[in-house]
Every structure is written in C-alpha cells, then in structure tokens.
C-alpha cells in the first residue's frame, strides 16, 4: 500500500489516468461487428476552444444478443449492452493555475451470465444428507427432485447442449445500472518549487433488482437470493495536496489531507422455499440427530420450512474516511535515493440491518385445511408441528404434498419469487457503529548503478531496491441474515521486498525481479458457512 494512494488496498493499487485535453484538434473513431448481433463503437475528439481552454469528449457503446440460450424460455444470457460518455475540460487560466473537470455518465442494460449445474455429491445436504423432500419428490427414502432439477440444466448429463441453459421462467438476470461521476482538479504552482492541488469528486449510482445466486441450479425457484429493490450508492471526496522540492530538487516531498463520505443501501431477499420431511425424519431433527433413511414409501408427510422460507433484509451502510499523509524522497547521491512515508487513516462505519420474515400465522392459516394435490386428490393439512404441517390421511408421499403446498404461494407478480406474506410489522433491527484507525509507515531505498559501470555492456540501466511498508484495510459489519450484523476485524499487512530492474539491448528488453514477503493479520476473506 502506498502512502499517496491505494486506500484500503493491502495488496497494492493499479492507477489509471485519463488522457487530458490539450491544444491540438484531433480525434479517433473505432467500430466493430461480430456474431450474436454484436456491434461496438468508440469515438473521441480533442477540441480546443481558445488558446487556454480545451475540451475532450469520448463515447463508447457495445451491444450484442448474448451467446447462452435458455432452452426453456428462449432468452439469451451473457449479453453486452453498455453506453458511456466522458466530457473533460482543461483551463490554463495562467502560468500558475490549471483547472481540470470531468463528467461521466454510464448505462448498463444487459443480461448476466447464465449457469449450468452438476451434482458434486449425491449425499449433500439437500440431496440425501437430510432426506429433505422438494416439490416433485414422492419417496422419502430416495429423494431425487433437487438432483433432477439440477440435472435438467446439466451439460454433462446431456440435458442442455453447448452454450445452452435451462434456468426456468423468471431467472432475474437483467442487470440495470446507471452511474454518474463528477470530478474537479485545481492546481496552483505557488513558485518554481511548490504546488498545491485540490481534488473534488462525486459519484451517484443506482442498480436495479437482480438475482445474485441460483443455489438450486435449475429451472425451479427453490434456493436463491436476489437484490429485489434499487440499490443506491453515492460518494463524495475531497483531497488537498501540497508538493515541493528543496536542495536543488534533491529532496521531493508531498503532504496532504483526504476525506470521503460514502453511502449505500441494498434490499436483499433469500429464498429457501418449502420442503417436506417424513415423520421419522422430523422426529430425528427435533431431537438434534442426523436423519437416517426413511422406510421405502415413507410414513406420514409433513410440509414446512427449515429456514424462512423467505428472508427480507434491508442493509444500509454509511462510512466516512479521513486521512493525512506525508511522503518524501531524498537523493543522497546521484545514484542513491531514500524514500519514507507515513499515513494516518480513520474510518467510521455505520451499518443498519432490518430483517423481516414471512408471517407464520398467515402461512399456517392458508396451509391448514383441505387442499387439492397436483393429481386432483383432495387432502387435509393439520396444525403445525415445529413449523411443519401434517398431511392427514389419506395423504401419502405419492400425492406430492410439497408441490401441493408450494402451489398455495404462486408467483403472482411474475418476479420469479413466490409470494409469501411478509410480516413487516415485526422487523428485527441491528445497528452498529465503530471507528477504525491505523498509522501506516513505509520506507524504501534504491541504488542505480553508475553509467560508467555499464559502458561497453549490453545493459543500459540497472537499479536495485529494498522496500518495507505497511497496509491497512478497515474493519466493517457484515450482514448475516437473522444473525444480524457480524463484526469483521481490520486487515493489516507488513510487506518486505527486494529486487532489481534492468533495461538492456538499447532498451528493447526490460527485466524485473522481486522477492517479497507479506505478513497478514486478520486477512479478510470471503467464506461460505452453513448452519
């Protein structure tokens, strides 16, 4: 992590710099076409307005139909549909003052990558691990619906071909994103050796509803997650930077202050749907035992929920970043340079999580009583036993009781999510706030071999260096469904590096070697856990 840039990047940073407007009229046009209805184009023009005011405009578009076809609904996925435009200006107001501005707008309207599915383990949790019955299962001793749903979208089983998928009626893979950026950079040359820079930025982003995972892998909507509302994110930042040099430019230094305010809001829904268990399995689960295989054909069917069947969460995050930094490089000799830096970072995270779950009384009232099975046979469901409703005589597993109950909660609005009644009157709220701080130093020394040492050799330049630096990534609060907000520790790293850089053969070859050791503390990793 550098002192001057790379906020929250313990592994390093990549810097992208836009080409700036200048005093020459020029431009470019690029275009392309391809299969799957692809067309793309880029256009840019650098347009000086006066001797001191210049503009630069660039636009980009790419669109295609997508190359993965859904054999069930005829849609195509993995598509591109993006447009963007960037407008920059530069005003050389005087020999000592320059003002740069940037305005950017981008739009995405495309379908995300479709998936295929394979069963990695026949004894996994939702296959035979718990002997859970899904819609379509009729023998609790050999549940197969979850596996068959996956394999309906399996290339290895031959049910879909290359570049094909079977994701069902409403896979919710439409990606809608609108992004707007504004930036201003003002730079003053105070004298020949000192300058002052002010950088201001703003971002506003809105992302539409979209499916974030399809855990069941097939055309059924059984175990999936969604962002169901517009996700709003915005940020504002300001940086004041002072740079200078001394001792005939042998000492160069930069000091600055940085601040950013960012906010985001996401509405998330997790679907686990309804399942069935045999009376034998229900008794074993109730006594916290690992279920054993039921007798062929099963005994009494029970239909209910293991978790959910729907969890609605509204997660909002506000955080403020403040930082101060100083970095300086000293040319001890013409070939030996020493660099040192220090950065203080303070980040305040405020998180709120609101959890709403289905209304159990409304669900129970709808399930209890006479129902008509998919085969047209009337059956009766009794009161709940630990969240599972008993399918009374003459109900048997052969009548597919899970599908019977699942049909009571159809997807009436066509968004791909069964319409379970949500109890918004009893919302579980969790709020957390904490400030994370860290002082991160760095030091580096480099030595460039004198040119007279290299005369007559194939080497044009050789530099060796050693660096010691520290990095910091703020802690935060991770939403974890009904468990609420979980605190994640800050990540820290200490990096040691030595290496050399060589240019050779009239600078036609560059050879870089680095040996480094990065010692992490509380590395932040993505982990999936199942309770």
């Amino acid at each position: 992590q550098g002192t001057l840039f790379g906020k929250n990047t313990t592994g390093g940073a990549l810097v992208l710099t836009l080409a700036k407007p200048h005093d020459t009229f020029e431009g470019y046009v690029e275009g392309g076409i391809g299969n799957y209805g692809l067309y793309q184009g880029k256009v840019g023009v650098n347009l000086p307005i006066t001797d001191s005011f210049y503009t630069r405009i660039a636009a980009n578009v790419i669109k295609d139909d997508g190359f993965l076809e859904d054999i069930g609904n005829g849609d195509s996925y993995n598509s591109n549909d993006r447009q963007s435009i960037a407008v920059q200006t530069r005003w050389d107001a005087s020999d000592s003052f320059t003002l740069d501005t940037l305005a950017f707008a981008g739009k995405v309207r495309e379908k995300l990558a479709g998936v295929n599915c394979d069963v990695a383990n026949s004894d996994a949790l939702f296959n035979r691990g718990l002997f859970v019955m899904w819609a379509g299962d009729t023998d609790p001793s050999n549940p197969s619906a979850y596996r068959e749903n996956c394999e309906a979208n399996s290339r290895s089983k031959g049910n879909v071909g290359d570049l094909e998928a079977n994701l069902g009626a409403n896979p919710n893979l439409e990606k809608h994103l609108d992004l707007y950026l504004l930036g201003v950079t003002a730079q003053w040359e105070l004298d020949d050796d000192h300058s002052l820079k002010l950088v201001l930025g703003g971002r506003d982003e809105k992302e539409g509803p979209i499916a974030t995972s399809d855990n069941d892998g097939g055309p059924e909507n059984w175990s999936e997650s969604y962002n169901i509302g517009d996700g709003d994110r915005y940020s504002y930042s300001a940086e004041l930077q002072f740079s200078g040099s001394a001792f005939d430019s042998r000492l160069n230094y930069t000091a600055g202050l940085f601040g950013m305010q960012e906010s985001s809001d996401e509405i998330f829904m997790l679907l686990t749907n309804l399942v069935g268990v045999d009376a034998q399995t229900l008794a074993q689960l109730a006594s916290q035992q690992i279920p054993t295989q039921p007798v062929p054909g099963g005994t009494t069917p029970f239909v209910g929920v293991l978790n959910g069947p729907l969890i609605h969460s509204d997660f909002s995050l506000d955080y403020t970043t403040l930082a101060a930094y100083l970095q300086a490089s000293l040319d001890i000799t013409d070939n030996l340079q020493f660099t040192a830096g220090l950065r203080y970072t303070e980040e305040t995270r405020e998180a709120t999580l609101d959890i709403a779950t289905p209304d159990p009384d409304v669900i129970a009232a709808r399930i209890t009583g006479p129902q008509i099975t998919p085969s047209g046979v009337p059956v009766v469901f009794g009161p709940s036993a630990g969240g599972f409703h008993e399918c009374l005589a003459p109900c048997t597993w052969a009548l597919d009781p899970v599908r019977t109950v699942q049909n009571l909660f159809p997807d009436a609005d066509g968004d791909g999510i069964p319409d379970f009644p949500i109890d918004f009157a009893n919302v579980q709220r969790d709020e957390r706030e904490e400030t994370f701080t860290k002082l991160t130093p760095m030091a580096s020394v480099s030595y460039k071999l004198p040119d007279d040492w290299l005369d007559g050799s194939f080497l044009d330049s050789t530099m060796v260096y050693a660096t010691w630096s520290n990095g910091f990534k703020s802690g935060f609060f991770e939403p974890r469904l009904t468990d609420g907000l979980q605190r994640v520790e800050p990540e820290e790293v200490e990096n040691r590096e030595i290496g050399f850089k060589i240019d050779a053969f009239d600078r036609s070859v560059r050879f870089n070697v680095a040996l480094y050791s990065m010692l992490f503390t509380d590395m932040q990793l993505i982990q999936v856990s199942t309770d």
Side-chain angles (χ1 to χ4, degrees), residues 78 227 232:
N78 302 67
N227 285 341
D232 295 307

Side-chain angles (χ1 to χ4, degrees), residues 21 76 121 223 264 281 311 325 372:
S76 296
N121 184 352
S223 176
S264 65
T281 304
I311 297 177
Y325 58 85
I372 303 298

Side-chain angles (χ1 to χ4, degrees), residues 173-230:
L173 293 178
E174 296 276 355
K175 181 178 178 63
H176 287 196
L177 179 68
D178 295 295
L179 174 64
Y180 303 94
L181 301 172
L182 290 173
V184 177
T185 301
Q187 184 159 334
W188 293 266
E189 300 296 334
L190 303 178
D191 55 40
D192 291 342
D193 297 319
H194 299 90
S195 65
L196 187 67
K197 181 187 291 186
L198 175 65
V199 183
L200 304 175
R203 173 181 65 109
D204 187 7
E205 181 178 310
K206 182 183 293 289
E207 184 173 19
I210 192 169
T212 55
S213 71
D214 182 2
N215 300 318
D216 58 67
E220 297 276 7
N221 295 326
W222 286 344
S223 176
E224 300 170 358
S225 59
Y226 315 84
N227 285 341
I228 61 170
D230 288 336

Side-chain angles (χ1 to χ4, degrees), residues 434-479:
E434 188 170 345
T435 298
F436 302 89
T437 62
K438 188 65 178 179
L439 191 66
T440 50
M442 66 84 63
S444 180
V445 61
S446 64
Y447 182 74
K448 181 181 177 182
L449 272 61
D451 292 339
D452 55 2
W453 290 14
L454 307 178
D455 287 345
S457 72
F458 62 90
L459 300 176
D460 300 302
S461 66
T462 299
M463 186 265 283
V464 296
Y465 69 94
T467 296
W468 171 79
S469 61
N470 288 262
F472 165 72
K473 184 185 291 185
S474 170
F476 58 95
F477 301 103
E478 177 77 4

Side-chain angles (χ1 to χ4, degrees), residues 338-351:
F338 177 74
T339 301
L342 190 65
R343 181 185 183 98
Y344 172 77
T345 304
E346 178 180 293
E347 298 207 8
T348 300
R349 301 282 184 128
E350 300 178 60

Side-chain angles (χ1 to χ4, degrees), residues 402-424:
V402 179
R403 180 78 70 183
T404 300
V405 175
Q406 184 173 293
N407 289 342
L408 299 175
F409 304 93
D411 176 22
D413 55 9
D415 63 355
I417 307 173
D419 296 328
F420 292 101
I422 304 295
D423 183 13
F424 288 107

Side-chain angles (χ1 to χ4, degrees), residues 268 311-316 352-356 427-431:
F268 180 81
I311 297 177
H312 179 287
S313 65
D314 189 345
F315 176 63
S316 62
T352 302
L353 179 65
D354 290 330
I355 297 290
V427 173
Q428 169 190 326
R429 166 162 285 202
D430 193 5
E431 297 178 288

